[in-house]
Amino acid sequence: MPLEDDDAVVLQRLDYSESSQVLVFFTRRHGKVRAIAKGVKRSTKKRFAVGIDLLELGHLVFSIRTPRQSALAILTEWKPGRPLGGLRSRLDRLYAAQYAVETTAALTEDWDPHQRLYDVLVDVLSSLAAADEVSSHVARFQCALLREIGSWPYLQACVSCGCTPQVDHPVWFSSNEGGLLCRDCEGSRIEKRQISPEVLAVLGGEGAGEGATPAAVSLLDYHITHVMGRPPKVSQALTQLLSTTG
Ligand SMILES: [Zn+2]
Protein backbone atom coordinates (compact mmCIF):
# COMPACT_ATOMS: atom_id res chain seq x y z
CA MET A 1 0.00 0.00 0.00
CA PRO A 2 1.39 3.44 -0.92
CA LEU A 3 2.21 5.87 1.86
CA GLU A 4 0.74 9.34 1.95
CA ASP A 5 1.48 12.21 4.28
CA ASP A 6 -0.20 15.44 5.32
CA ASP A 7 -0.47 18.13 7.98
CA ALA A 8 -3.33 17.49 10.37
CA VAL A 9 -5.31 18.38 13.49
CA VAL A 10 -6.59 15.60 15.76
CA LEU A 11 -10.40 15.95 15.86
CA GLN A 12 -11.51 12.78 17.66
CA ARG A 13 -10.10 9.77 19.41
CA LEU A 14 -12.09 6.56 19.57
CA ASP A 15 -11.16 3.37 21.40
CA TYR A 16 -10.93 0.50 18.97
CA SER A 17 -9.43 -2.42 20.84
CA GLU A 18 -7.28 -2.92 23.92
CA SER A 19 -4.17 -1.74 22.16
CA SER A 20 -5.44 0.34 19.24
CA GLN A 21 -7.26 3.58 18.66
CA VAL A 22 -9.07 5.07 15.73
CA LEU A 23 -8.14 8.71 15.30
CA VAL A 24 -10.07 11.19 13.22
CA PHE A 25 -7.77 13.76 11.65
CA PHE A 26 -8.63 16.87 9.70
CA THR A 27 -5.85 17.07 7.14
CA ARG A 28 -4.89 19.92 4.87
CA ARG A 29 -4.95 18.09 1.53
CA HIS A 30 -7.03 14.95 2.18
CA GLY A 31 -9.86 16.39 4.29
CA LYS A 32 -11.12 14.25 7.15
CA VAL A 33 -9.18 10.99 7.52
CA ARG A 34 -10.00 8.12 9.88
CA ALA A 35 -6.89 6.18 10.74
CA ILE A 36 -6.19 3.27 13.01
CA ALA A 37 -3.16 3.62 15.27
CA LYS A 38 -2.14 0.10 16.15
CA GLY A 39 -0.41 -0.32 19.46
CA VAL A 40 -0.86 3.33 20.35
CA LYS A 41 -1.92 2.51 23.90
CA ARG A 42 1.02 0.25 24.70
CA SER A 43 3.89 2.01 26.39
CA THR A 44 6.45 -0.19 24.66
CA LYS A 45 5.52 0.52 21.05
CA LYS A 46 8.14 2.24 18.96
CA ARG A 47 6.33 4.43 16.49
CA PHE A 48 4.25 6.62 18.78
CA ALA A 49 6.34 7.73 21.74
CA VAL A 50 3.28 8.98 23.60
CA GLY A 51 -0.46 8.78 23.04
CA ILE A 52 -1.87 11.15 20.47
CA ASP A 53 -3.93 13.94 21.99
CA LEU A 54 -7.06 15.70 20.89
CA LEU A 55 -6.49 19.21 19.55
CA GLU A 56 -2.92 18.30 18.67
CA LEU A 57 -1.33 19.67 15.48
CA GLY A 58 1.14 17.52 13.64
CA HIS A 59 2.20 15.66 10.53
CA LEU A 60 0.91 12.19 9.76
CA VAL A 61 1.99 9.42 7.44
CA PHE A 62 -0.59 6.81 6.55
CA SER A 63 -1.32 4.02 4.14
CA ILE A 64 -4.70 3.37 2.60
CA ARG A 65 -6.31 0.68 0.50
CA THR A 66 -8.39 1.60 -2.53
CA PRO A 67 -11.17 2.46 -2.80
CA ARG A 68 -10.19 4.63 0.08
CA GLN A 69 -13.68 6.02 0.66
CA SER A 70 -14.69 2.84 2.42
CA ALA A 71 -11.46 2.02 4.20
CA LEU A 72 -9.75 2.97 7.42
CA ALA A 73 -6.28 4.41 6.87
CA ILE A 74 -3.40 2.89 8.80
CA LEU A 75 -1.37 5.41 10.72
CA THR A 76 2.31 4.67 10.29
CA GLU A 77 3.81 7.84 11.75
CA TRP A 78 2.75 10.90 13.72
CA LYS A 79 5.05 13.84 14.37
CA PRO A 80 3.53 16.33 16.79
CA GLY A 81 3.87 19.96 15.68
CA ARG A 82 3.73 23.21 17.58
CA PRO A 83 2.33 22.50 21.07
CA LEU A 84 -0.86 24.38 21.97
CA GLY A 85 -0.71 23.94 25.73
CA GLY A 86 -2.35 27.35 26.24
CA LEU A 87 -5.66 25.85 25.09
CA ARG A 88 -5.86 23.86 28.31
CA SER A 89 -4.93 26.69 30.66
CA ARG A 90 -8.34 28.36 30.40
CA LEU A 91 -11.76 26.79 30.20
CA ASP A 92 -13.14 29.23 27.62
CA ARG A 93 -10.19 28.54 25.29
CA LEU A 94 -10.60 24.79 25.72
CA TYR A 95 -14.36 24.84 25.08
CA ALA A 96 -13.83 27.06 22.04
CA ALA A 97 -11.21 24.67 20.63
CA GLN A 98 -13.41 21.63 21.34
CA TYR A 99 -16.31 23.38 19.63
CA ALA A 100 -14.21 24.00 16.51
CA VAL A 101 -12.99 20.40 16.20
CA GLU A 102 -16.39 18.88 16.97
CA THR A 103 -18.22 20.95 14.36
CA THR A 104 -15.48 20.27 11.80
CA ALA A 105 -15.83 16.53 12.44
CA ALA A 106 -19.62 16.70 12.18
CA LEU A 107 -19.93 18.89 9.10
CA THR A 108 -17.18 17.68 6.76
CA GLU A 109 -17.02 14.39 4.86
CA ASP A 110 -14.18 11.88 4.84
CA TRP A 111 -11.67 12.48 2.02
CA ASP A 112 -13.27 15.80 1.09
CA PRO A 113 -10.49 18.43 1.24
CA HIS A 114 -11.23 21.91 2.58
CA GLN A 115 -7.84 23.62 2.54
CA ARG A 116 -9.15 27.06 3.44
CA LEU A 117 -11.08 25.69 6.39
CA TYR A 118 -8.03 23.71 7.50
CA ASP A 119 -5.89 26.86 7.47
CA VAL A 120 -8.52 28.81 9.43
CA LEU A 121 -8.87 25.98 11.96
CA VAL A 122 -5.12 25.85 12.60
CA ASP A 123 -4.94 29.64 12.82
CA VAL A 124 -7.91 29.81 15.20
CA LEU A 125 -6.52 27.06 17.47
CA SER A 126 -3.12 28.79 17.55
CA SER A 127 -4.73 32.16 18.31
CA LEU A 128 -6.98 30.67 20.99
CA ALA A 129 -3.98 29.18 22.78
CA ALA A 130 -2.92 32.71 23.74
CA ALA A 131 -6.23 34.57 23.50
CA ASP A 132 -7.69 36.89 26.12
CA GLU A 133 -10.85 37.46 24.16
CA VAL A 134 -12.30 34.23 22.76
CA SER A 135 -15.56 35.18 21.02
CA SER A 136 -14.07 36.74 17.88
CA HIS A 137 -11.94 33.63 17.25
CA VAL A 138 -14.93 31.32 17.68
CA ALA A 139 -17.01 33.47 15.33
CA ARG A 140 -14.21 33.59 12.76
CA PHE A 141 -14.18 29.81 12.75
CA GLN A 142 -17.99 29.51 12.64
CA CYS A 143 -18.12 31.87 9.63
CA ALA A 144 -15.39 29.98 7.77
CA LEU A 145 -17.07 26.63 8.46
CA LEU A 146 -20.51 27.76 7.29
CA ARG A 147 -19.11 29.34 4.14
CA GLU A 148 -16.96 26.33 3.33
CA ILE A 149 -19.83 23.84 3.58
CA GLY A 150 -22.17 26.11 1.63
CA SER A 151 -24.50 26.94 4.53
CA TRP A 152 -23.71 30.62 4.97
CA PRO A 153 -27.03 32.46 5.44
CA TYR A 154 -28.23 35.40 3.38
CA LEU A 155 -28.11 38.47 5.62
CA GLN A 156 -28.42 41.35 3.15
CA ALA A 157 -32.20 41.39 2.84
CA CYS A 158 -35.36 39.54 3.86
CA VAL A 159 -35.19 36.12 2.18
CA SER A 160 -38.96 36.13 1.75
CA CYS A 161 -39.88 39.56 0.34
CA GLY A 162 -36.44 40.97 -0.48
CA CYS A 163 -36.77 44.18 1.54
CA THR A 164 -33.63 45.63 3.11
CA PRO A 165 -33.55 45.70 6.93
CA GLN A 166 -34.47 49.17 8.22
CA VAL A 167 -32.56 50.83 11.02
CA ASP A 168 -34.53 50.61 14.28
CA HIS A 169 -36.86 47.92 12.93
CA PRO A 170 -36.57 44.46 14.50
CA VAL A 171 -35.24 41.73 12.23
CA TRP A 172 -35.41 37.94 12.59
CA PHE A 173 -33.15 35.14 11.51
CA SER A 174 -34.38 31.73 10.34
CA SER A 175 -32.12 28.75 9.74
CA ASN A 176 -34.71 26.89 7.69
CA GLU A 177 -35.20 29.94 5.48
CA GLY A 178 -31.46 30.47 5.26
CA GLY A 179 -31.34 34.12 6.32
CA LEU A 180 -33.17 37.23 7.47
CA LEU A 181 -36.89 37.76 7.83
CA CYS A 182 -38.46 41.19 8.10
CA ARG A 183 -41.25 42.11 10.48
CA ASP A 184 -43.90 41.52 7.82
CA CYS A 185 -42.65 38.05 6.96
CA GLU A 186 -41.56 36.62 10.32
CA GLY A 187 -45.10 36.08 11.64
CA SER A 188 -45.81 33.05 9.47
CA ARG A 189 -42.52 31.29 10.37
CA ILE A 190 -42.16 29.15 13.49
CA GLU A 191 -38.41 28.56 13.42
CA LYS A 192 -36.75 31.95 13.91
CA ARG A 193 -35.02 34.14 16.42
CA GLN A 194 -34.54 37.84 16.67
CA ILE A 195 -31.19 39.19 15.51
CA SER A 196 -29.88 42.39 17.07
CA PRO A 197 -28.57 45.30 14.93
CA GLU A 198 -25.12 44.79 16.51
CA VAL A 199 -24.95 41.13 15.48
CA LEU A 200 -26.25 41.96 12.02
CA ALA A 201 -23.57 44.65 11.66
CA VAL A 202 -20.81 42.15 12.55
CA LEU A 203 -22.09 39.34 10.33
CA GLY A 204 -23.82 41.26 7.55
CA GLY A 205 -20.79 42.64 5.70
CA GLU A 206 -18.00 40.30 4.72
CA GLY A 207 -19.18 38.04 7.51
CA ALA A 208 -15.72 37.00 8.57
CA GLY A 209 -16.50 37.31 12.27
CA GLU A 210 -14.08 40.14 13.11
CA GLY A 211 -15.16 42.05 16.19
CA ALA A 212 -17.78 39.43 17.02
CA THR A 213 -19.42 39.43 20.43
CA PRO A 214 -20.84 36.48 22.40
CA ALA A 215 -24.24 37.34 20.87
CA ALA A 216 -22.85 36.78 17.37
CA VAL A 217 -21.30 33.47 18.46
CA SER A 218 -24.65 32.45 19.89
CA LEU A 219 -26.53 33.25 16.67
CA LEU A 220 -24.00 31.34 14.55
CA ASP A 221 -24.23 28.45 17.01
CA TYR A 222 -28.01 28.49 16.60
CA HIS A 223 -27.57 28.14 12.84
CA ILE A 224 -24.83 25.49 13.13
CA THR A 225 -27.08 23.49 15.48
CA HIS A 226 -29.76 23.48 12.76
CA VAL A 227 -27.31 22.49 10.05
CA MET A 228 -25.90 19.67 12.24
CA GLY A 229 -29.33 18.52 13.38
CA ARG A 230 -28.20 18.66 17.03
CA PRO A 231 -26.32 21.09 19.24
CA PRO A 232 -22.55 20.66 19.47
CA LYS A 233 -21.73 19.02 22.82
CA VAL A 234 -19.93 22.03 24.26
CA SER A 235 -22.32 24.54 22.73
CA GLN A 236 -24.24 25.38 25.89
CA ALA A 237 -21.20 25.47 28.17
CA LEU A 238 -19.28 27.63 25.71
CA THR A 239 -22.01 30.17 24.99
CA GLN A 240 -22.81 30.49 28.71
CA LEU A 241 -19.17 31.00 29.62
CA LEU A 242 -18.68 33.57 26.86
CA SER A 243 -21.76 35.55 27.84
CA THR A 244 -20.63 35.77 31.48
CA THR A 245 -16.98 36.58 30.77
CA GLY A 246 -17.60 38.79 27.70
ZN1 LIG B 1 -39.94 40.22 4.33
Side-chain angles (χ1 to χ4, degrees):
M1 282 187 283
L3 289 180
E4 301 195 36
D5 75 300
D6 209 340
D7 293 324
V9 177
V10 183
L11 300 181
Q12 283 177 312
R13 229 171 28 167
L14 314 161
D15 283 337
Y16 187 73
S17 69
E18 274 202 4
S19 62
S20 302
Q21 271 183 340
V22 169
L23 294 140
V24 183
F25 296 96
F26 192 50
T27 69
R28 186 157 201 277
R29 288 177 288 111
H30 297 80
K32 199 168 66 180
V33 172
R34 293 168 195 278
I36 183 160
K38 291 179 179 165
V40 74
K41 292 195 220 159
R42 273 186 238 120
S43 55
T44 50
K45 59 353 176 210
K46 356 183 233 305
R47 284 172 304 191
F48 315 109
V50 286
I52 300 171
D53 260 332
L54 275 183
L55 305 174
E56 202 167 273
L57 306 181
H59 193 82
L60 83 161
V61 180
F62 62 95
S63 61
I64 184 73
R65 265 183 246 110
T66 46
R68 61 184 189 182
Q69 272 72 12
S70 58
L72 210 53
I74 297 165
L75 186 68
T76 60
E77 204 184 312
W78 172 252
K79 277 197 207 108
R82 213 163 2 119
L84 300 176
L87 289 178
R88 287 181 167 79
S89 66
R90 265 175 45 175
L91 204 52
D92 55 351
R93 294 177 186 168
L94 182 62
Y95 285 166
Q98 286 173 339
Y99 183 92
V101 297
E102 185 193 344
T103 51
T104 301
L107 294 174
T108 61
E109 303 293 328
D110 291 5
W111 307 111
D112 183 17
H114 289 281
Q115 251 179 51
R116 242 178 322 171
L117 183 61
Y118 175 84
D119 291 339
V120 173
L121 177 62
V122 169
D123 188 56
V124 163
L125 292 177
S126 308
S127 305
L128 279 171
D132 272 333
E133 182 280 317
V134 164
S135 291
S136 65
H137 298 292
V138 177
R140 189 154 61 92
F141 179 75
Q142 291 171 310
C143 292
L145 177 67
L146 287 168
R147 284 183 188 283
E148 196 66 24
I149 63 169
S151 294
W152 182 252
Y154 185 65
L155 300 173
Q156 275 61 48
C158 173
V159 291
S160 178
C161 73
C163 76
T164 319
Q166 302 290 305
V167 186
D168 299 333
H169 283 201
V171 182
W172 282 261
F173 172 81
S174 167
S175 277
N176 288 344
E177 301 293 331
L180 295 185
L181 290 171
C182 73
R183 158 163 90 164
D184 295 332
C185 298
E186 63 87 14
S188 57
R189 309 309 202 280
I190 293 164
E191 181 279 306
K192 68 198 165 190
R193 77 180 240 179
Q194 212 165 342
I195 177 168
S196 71
E198 293 75 28
V199 171
L200 192 55
V202 169
L203 301 178
E206 285 296 296
E210 264 81 24
T213 56
V217 170
S218 171
L219 183 88
L220 293 166
D221 176 59
Y222 170 82
H223 187 45
I224 285 171
T225 295
H226 270 261
V227 176
M228 275 174 66
R230 64 170 175 86
K233 280 180 211 143
V234 289
S235 162
Q236 202 186 2
L238 174 66
T239 48
Q240 270 174 10
L241 195 57
L242 292 183
S243 62
T244 52
T245 57

